[in-house]
Amino acid sequence: MSGRLTISRLCILWCFWLLFRGNLSLAQYPQFGSDSLRCLASLSVMSEFARMKLYDNAYEAWVDCFTNCPAASRNIYIFGADILRYKIEALAASPERENLIDTLMLLYDRRMQYFGQEGFVTGRKGLDLLKYRPAELEKACGMLLACMETEGSSTEGSVLVNLMQAASVLYRNGKMEAERLTEIYQKISGIADLTAGITGASGVLVRENADRIFLSSGAANCETFNARLLQLIQQQPADTGQLSSTLRLMSKSGCSSPTLVNGYELLFMHGPSAALATRLADLYAEGGNYAKALEFLNRALELESDARSIARIYYQMGIVFQQQGDYPRAREMALKALEKKADMGEAYLAIAIAYASPSVTCGSNPLEQGAVFWAAVDQLIKAKQTDPSLTARVDELISRFSAYFPDSETAFFNGYVDGDSYSVGCWINEMTRVRTRKTN
């Protein structure tokens, strides 16, 4: 029923428009041109057909509005762009298609003339020029860049990503310097970082795409990043946006240098966070500075409130203690992690590795020394029961650790057989069961 009413209304509007295509005129309003009634009729017909995506039907009424009353409504330009894109994409390469593209470009100029929004509209114009005339890449890139410079944090994500892509192609074609490409990337990344904090997923997606395009451009390398980071630290230490994007790219590229640590510490000083603290802890641990790693992990604990994230920090602390050879503290941190996140299979895995470490010397005879591997396998079984995704890795370790079980003769000599309870000594101090290594 509603469909028939809509069609009837369109028929009435169409007849109304045809009726007043002549010279009839109401009181004159400048924005409606010399024939205001005809303009209003054309606007109505164009809008109704365009909303239904019947662009061929809307075209003639749109031409009338665009030609005779271009200041009447913003819809002339909003719907007009849709109408022209539809007609352009329906044609193969031809003079007619090129004329329509010229009209689309003129539409954007007229929209700015009558309704402003120069930055936003220039961005839309640049996107369509890039799409329909890719040979005019430099011109389109200039429009997208002008849009970003004008709109700033309000720039559309599609403009930012296409600008990054266009600039990257110009660089690869020798028409843009690496420094200019890097500068454009830094601005895009700064806007994306800002909008990611406001709009969430859209800003993150822009940032990820900008990173990917820049990294694949050929302009990005560790030497360039390091020089850029050093310049920021020395000359623009308060520019956290550019500092953050440079550090992120260095990390993605696997670049490592003392400057990287300095950059993260500067960023942490401007805005302490658990994420930055754990990143600094990782960097210090990689460099063997375990004291500083633990210092920043403790800072991370102070700054974090989410239980699952706290569990991860405790787990990282356990890994650092393992790297230092402090296996009792490594187990202590893993157990703290499990208190916060009971399904953290990695924590059981970490305890198993601490028990089975070659540096651990528990006991004075082969049975006592081999018993640590029983306790280690117990933890490995818990790990895969808790987190099945660890099964393949755990089964490999079980196979490896089982090779260090005492043989049946050693167990029997000490008064034990398979299945007996056994208390593992030293700092481990856990009950387990006897399992012997089978010999041929």
Side-chain angles (χ1 to χ4, degrees):
M1 184 69 176
S2 61
R4 290 199 298 272
L5 286 173
T6 301
I7 292 170
S8 298
R9 188 161 68 124
L10 285 172
C11 290
I12 293 169
L13 285 169
W14 185 257
C15 294
F16 180 70
W17 179 64
L18 290 173
L19 179 64
F20 289 102
R21 283 185 66 186
N23 295 320
L24 292 175
S25 176
L26 298 177
Q28 297 301 301
Y29 296 92
Q31 70 269 32
F32 293 113
S34 60
D35 191 338
S36 55
L37 183 57
R38 172 176 171 169
C39 178
L40 285 169
S42 294
L43 273 173
S44 297
V45 170
M46 175 202 72
S47 299
E48 290 293 337
F49 279 124
R51 286 191 180 99
M52 297 176 67
K53 301 188 186 308
L54 298 173
Y55 296 127
D56 282 326
N57 300 91
Y59 180 68
E60 189 176 352
W62 172 78
V63 170
D64 190 36
C65 293
F66 186 66
T67 304
N68 298 308
C69 52
S73 170
R74 197 188 305 269
N75 282 344
I76 295 170
Y77 304 95
I78 296 172
F79 290 136
D82 292 334
I83 293 166
L84 288 171
R85 289 192 202 100
Y86 167 80
K87 295 186 75 65
I88 289 166
E89 289 167 16
L91 294 172
S94 63
E96 182 184 358
R97 188 176 193 272
E98 291 305 308
N99 286 337
L100 286 170
I101 296 171
D102 286 339
T103 303
L104 180 60
M105 297 298 108
L106 177 62
L107 175 143
Y108 287 119
D109 293 339
R110 289 272 181 86
R111 178 172 175 174
M112 287 185 278
Q113 177 184 348
Y114 293 112
F115 295 98
Q117 292 185 293
E118 283 79 5
F120 170 80
V121 177
T122 299
R124 290 294 182 90
K125 182 179 180 181
L127 288 174
D128 277 339
L129 183 61
L130 193 62
K131 181 177 182 179
Y132 298 122
R133 286 182 177 157
E136 297 186 33
L137 180 64
E138 285 184 86
K139 185 176 180 181
C141 185
M143 291 177 185
L144 298 176
L145 187 58
C147 171
M148 181 181 71
E149 297 290 357
T150 302
E151 295 295 291
S153 61
S154 299
T155 308
E156 291 183 290
S158 57
V159 170
L160 295 172
V161 173
N162 279 278
L163 171 58
M164 191 68 239
Q165 186 65 57
S168 177
V169 173
L170 288 175
Y171 167 75
R172 288 198 298 272
N173 292 342
K175 295 182 177 180
M176 181 177 288
E177 298 296 325
E179 292 78 8
R180 180 58 173 154
L181 178 63
T182 302
E183 180 186 339
I184 290 171
Y185 164 76
Q186 295 282 5
K187 289 181 179 178
I188 291 171
S189 186
I191 292 171
D193 284 340
L194 179 62
T195 54
I198 300 170
T199 61
S202 60
V204 172
L205 186 60
V206 169
R207 185 173 64 198
E208 289 175 350
N209 278 311
D211 287 354
R212 175 182 53 79
I213 294 166
F214 186 59
L215 286 170
S216 63
S217 70
N221 58 66
C222 291
E223 184 179 349
T224 302
F225 288 147
N226 198 59
R228 175 64 176 163
L229 181 58
L230 189 61
Q231 179 189 40
L232 287 170
I233 291 171
Q234 293 175 346
Q235 300 177 16
Q236 299 167 264
D239 193 339
T240 55
Q242 294 200 48
L243 186 61
S244 178
S245 63
T246 302
L247 289 168
R248 184 174 62 249
L249 279 184
M250 290 183 75
S251 297
K252 283 188 175 183
S253 303
C255 300
S256 179
S257 74
T259 313
L260 188 67
V261 177
N262 294 339
Y264 273 110
E265 286 197 330
L266 182 58
L267 201 59
F268 184 81
M269 182 184 73
H270 284 297
S273 71
L276 284 173
T278 53
R279 179 67 183 124
L280 278 161
D282 286 340
L283 290 171
Y284 276 118
E286 287 169 11
N289 192 337
Y290 301 120
K292 289 290 285 186
L294 290 170
E295 176 188 328
F296 276 101
L297 286 171
N298 277 304
R299 290 297 310 278
L301 285 175
E302 295 170 4
L303 293 163
E304 187 57 75
S305 57
D306 177 70
R308 296 174 76 86
S309 298
I310 290 171
R312 175 59 55 178
I313 295 167
Y314 277 128
Y315 171 78
Q316 287 180 259
M317 294 179 82
I319 298 301
V320 173
F321 281 121
Q322 269 200 47
Q323 290 170 326
Q324 290 180 289
D326 190 342
Y327 300 108
R329 293 296 303 281
R331 179 178 64 175
E332 179 188 345
M333 294 302 107
L335 291 173
K336 283 181 176 290
L338 287 166
E339 288 175 9
K340 294 292 183 179
K341 186 175 182 290
D343 62 346
M344 192 176 194
E346 289 173 296
Y348 288 115
L349 185 59
I351 295 171
I353 293 171
Y355 285 176
S357 172
S359 301
V360 175
T361 54
C362 278
S364 57
N365 62 58
L367 180 76
E368 293 175 350
Q369 292 165 359
V372 299
F373 292 98
W374 297 334
V377 168
D378 291 343
Q379 298 297 320
L380 290 173
I381 292 170
K382 289 180 183 178
K384 68 176 180 178
Q385 287 174 341
T386 304
D387 184 354
S389 70
L390 297 173
T391 297
R393 184 179 175 194
V394 163
D395 286 346
E396 181 186 349
L397 287 173
I398 288 174
S399 176
R400 189 190 309 172
F401 291 173
S402 297
Y404 296 100
F405 288 174
D407 59 31
S408 56
E409 290 182 6
T410 300
F412 183 76
F413 179 79
N414 286 275
Y416 293 96
V417 294
D418 282 285
D420 284 351
S421 294
Y422 184 89
S423 178
V424 181
C426 299
W427 61 274
I428 296 176
N429 195 28
E430 281 196 8
M431 290 299 298
T432 185
R433 62 183 179 84
V434 175
R435 279 151 287 182
T436 59
R437 171 171 46 87
K438 307 307 176 188
T439 58
N440 296 327

